[in-house]
Amino acid sequence: MPNDAWTRDRVVGAIRRWHDDRGVAPRKRDWNKPTFDSSGVPATPAADVVLELFGKWSEAVKAAGLEPEKQERSAKERRQQAELPDRSQREYLDDDLYYKEQDSQAPYYSPAGTYLAAAEIIAEMFRWTALTGSPPTEKDWLRDKQWPHPDIVVDLFGSWDDAMKDAGLDQFEPPPRGDADMEELRARLAGAERELQAERQSAERELRAARRSASRLEESERQARVDSERAQEIARAAREEAKRARADAAAAREGGQSLAAAASGESSGGGQTPSTELDSLTERLIEVEARAEHLAEENERLRRALGQVREAMGSPEEVEEEDGAPEVEPGGPASVHEAVEKAAGRVEHLVLLPDAFESAEDSPFRRPQMVLDALLKLDELARLYAEPGGIGESIGSVARQLGLDWIPDTTDWGGTRGRHYEVNWKGQKFRLGPHVRLGTGAGAGSTARIYGFFFDGDEEQGRTFVVGHVGRHLPDSTT
């Protein structure tokens, strides 16, 4: 029966017959050659035929509904458990390393028990690779008896793949053939040059894109700086106009009473009365102050936008104008952290969380006395909030009366920014919202924030204001 007459079903049948006759499943070395019965009919296929049909010997045995015969532990496993010496020492096998059939023309190596087995097999793997141009496979050595039997390799190394790894042949790349013609070598060189050129072009494209992005960011920074300076000029002009309006209104009030009687006795000709002029000046003052407040808010937004551009360009958060030592008042705190510590020793109603101390330690704000003063004013706000009857008017109004630049709540809680506003206290999670603005200018060296939340009280703590962050501006949609 030729090799191609063997099918998977026929091989499975042969394996089962072998098992029925002997009580064990066949091994590769058992079927090294095909066998025939007394009438010349093939009884078993050659092992390489089984490997071609099933890929692995164990898969063929499993297809027959049997368990592959468990071999004794390999020399590799025994070495790992310190039951055998290292490969640099002698290792002996209970069987010949090579085929020893009498009719074989293979060279006869030294008998069993005298081989540095693992080292010899690795040397043979390299010899095969040098002769053929590629590492050996199990099928290669199963078919050619002048090479070690694959079962011996598996016994020593645990598996064929492990043997290839130990030999360093698992990453083998064949060198150019010695007989390769010039055209093939030129083609390989051209392919390598094309790959190098493609990588170079990709790097150049990325560099150009990075330069364009940097140019756009520089232009955005320049425009933001111009807008910020323009807003500052407009705000200064509005403040001057408001100051003049206040002076005019004050002068009108002083002269209003003395002129009232005379104005009442005069005819109602075409002139404005002092009362009308005073009302006009008051309206003008309100309008100018509202405009100044709007411009101040716009200026703050532009400063934040400028800071955002600098951050995107990798510039430091503080601008050069902010460099310098903190503005320390005699006897005052030298840092924001020291200001919080001093406040902790003086406040009676305000609660300062550990998060407030940690954030204060990171703040470069150069006017720590402002932080201490604001915390003491917040202590007074907390005292009023704790009164049984409450404050009696809006918290924002009272805060501004105390001299605090009060912001009722932040407007951005979504996305990754929301986690910056969360603090833990009394086993619960609270959200920071109301905050006080400190300082003017751009950067954390010129401005600071104090964030907190109002607590309605429980069995242990009465109504109060809790401070959870002191220092840098927490991120929102403008930062």
Side-chain angles (χ1 to χ4, degrees):
M1 180 184 294
N3 288 346
D4 56 5
W6 283 102
T7 63
R8 290 172 63 97
D9 291 339
R10 289 177 180 270
V11 170
V12 167
I15 293 175
R16 288 174 179 167
R17 286 194 299 272
W18 181 283
H19 180 268
D20 293 340
D21 294 340
R22 295 166 177 78
V24 294
R27 296 176 62 179
K28 282 200 295 286
R29 66 174 62 185
D30 296 328
W31 288 8
N32 182 46
K33 288 183 176 181
T35 61
F36 304 87
D37 60 18
S38 58
S39 61
V41 177
T44 62
D48 57 351
V49 174
V50 179
L51 293 176
E52 288 177 359
L53 290 172
F54 289 89
K56 292 184 178 180
W57 190 267
S58 59
E59 294 298 325
V61 176
K62 290 178 181 177
L66 304 174
E67 286 294 328
E69 181 183 352
K70 292 184 178 179
Q71 302 177 3
E72 295 181 1
R73 286 177 302 157
S74 66
K76 180 177 182 180
E77 292 175 334
R78 286 181 283 163
R79 276 194 302 274
Q80 291 174 347
Q81 299 179 9
E83 296 178 12
L84 282 181
D86 188 76
R87 279 192 188 144
S88 60
Q89 306 178 33
R90 284 187 177 274
E91 296 176 354
Y92 301 101
L93 297 176
D94 295 331
D95 197 359
D96 289 343
L97 181 62
Y98 292 80
Y99 296 95
K100 297 299 186 298
E101 297 186 13
Q102 293 181 356
D103 59 349
S104 173
Q105 299 300 316
Y108 188 86
Y109 293 90
S110 59
T114 60
Y115 256 88
L116 290 170
E120 183 67 20
I121 286 178
I122 289 176
E124 291 295 85
M125 285 183 168
F126 275 97
R127 187 164 72 92
W128 172 282
T129 303
L131 292 173
T132 64
S134 61
T137 65
E138 287 186 79
K139 291 182 181 180
D140 293 332
W141 281 11
L142 185 63
R143 292 170 177 172
D144 196 337
K145 294 182 179 180
Q146 67 173 318
W147 304 97
H149 195 286
D151 286 350
I152 298 297
V153 179
V154 173
D155 284 340
L156 277 172
F157 293 90
S159 71
W160 188 271
D161 290 340
D162 287 341
M164 298 298 292
K165 290 178 182 177
D166 287 357
L169 293 173
D170 57 320
Q171 303 294 330
F172 177 80
E173 293 184 4
R177 300 193 324 273
D179 59 347
D181 56 21
M182 293 301 296
E183 290 301 323
E184 180 181 350
L185 293 176
R186 288 194 186 98
R188 294 183 66 172
L189 179 60
E193 290 179 346
R194 283 194 298 271
E195 292 179 1
L196 181 61
Q197 181 67 16
E199 292 179 0
R200 184 185 296 113
Q201 292 175 353
S202 176
E204 290 175 352
R205 285 194 297 270
E206 292 179 0
L207 179 60
R208 289 194 295 269
R211 286 174 176 169
R212 287 195 297 269
S213 298
S215 177
R216 287 195 296 269
L217 288 172
E218 289 175 356
E219 177 62 23
S220 299
E221 181 183 15
R222 187 194 65 78
Q223 187 60 44
R225 188 182 295 112
V226 170
D227 292 343
S228 178
E229 293 172 355
R230 185 184 299 116
Q232 290 179 12
E233 290 294 332
I234 295 174
R236 280 195 291 269
R239 284 194 291 270
E240 292 297 327
E241 187 176 355
K243 191 181 299 182
R244 290 194 298 270
R246 289 193 190 95
D248 293 345
R253 288 194 200 94
E254 291 176 359
Q257 293 180 351
S258 60
L259 295 176
S264 62
E266 291 180 356
S267 63
S268 59
Q272 267 191 333
T273 65
S275 176
T276 304
E277 183 179 358
L278 180 59
D279 291 341
S280 175
L281 287 172
T282 302
E283 291 177 0
R284 178 186 169 199
L285 176 61
I286 293 173
E287 179 183 351
V288 170
E289 286 182 341
R291 183 183 175 201
E293 183 177 356
H294 172 73
L295 289 172
E297 292 176 354
E298 179 67 13
N299 194 27
E300 178 68 16
R301 186 190 67 79
L302 290 172
R303 286 196 188 100
R304 293 176 184 176
L306 181 60
Q308 185 177 9
V309 172
R310 287 199 179 97
E311 181 180 357
M313 295 181 65
S315 303
E317 183 176 0
E318 290 80 28
V319 294
E320 294 180 358
E321 293 81 2
E322 293 178 356
D323 293 338
E327 301 176 9
V328 180
E329 299 183 9
S335 66
V336 176
H337 186 263
E338 186 176 338
V340 177
E341 289 182 331
K342 285 181 176 290
R346 294 172 59 179
V347 299
E348 298 180 359
H349 305 277
L350 191 68
V351 175
L352 296 168
L353 297 184
D355 304 68
F357 291 86
E358 293 178 7
S359 54
E361 205 166 2
D362 181 52
S363 174
F365 186 52
R366 300 191 333 238
R367 302 181 65 183
Q369 183 63 44
M370 288 185 66
V371 176
L372 176 59
D373 294 342
L375 290 172
L376 295 179
K377 292 175 182 178
L378 283 173
D379 184 53
E380 175 62 16
L381 182 66
R383 183 191 69 79
L384 296 173
Y385 183 71
E387 292 288 338
I391 294 180
E393 53 184 309
S394 71
I395 293 176
S397 175
V398 174
R400 284 187 284 272
Q401 292 174 18
L402 293 172
L404 296 171
D405 187 359
W406 179 261
I407 306 299
D409 204 347
T410 184
T411 58
D412 192 338
W413 299 103
T416 58
R417 289 187 285 262
R419 59 184 176 83
H420 295 284
Y421 292 84
E422 294 179 352
V423 293
N424 294 311
W425 183 49
K426 301 172 71 67
Q428 302 180 49
K429 186 174 291 185
F430 293 88
R431 190 183 71 176
L432 303 176
H435 56 279
V436 176
R437 295 188 297 193
L438 301 174
T440 59
S446 298
T447 61
R449 299 289 188 272
I450 300 176
Y451 293 84
F453 60 91
F454 286 98
F455 183 66
D456 291 333
D458 56 16
E459 296 179 356
E460 300 176 356
Q461 174 69 52
R463 284 159 55 91
T464 186
F465 186 73
V466 181
V467 175
H469 179 92
V470 179
R472 295 177 183 270
H473 190 296
L474 289 179
D476 58 19
S477 60
T478 63
T479 60

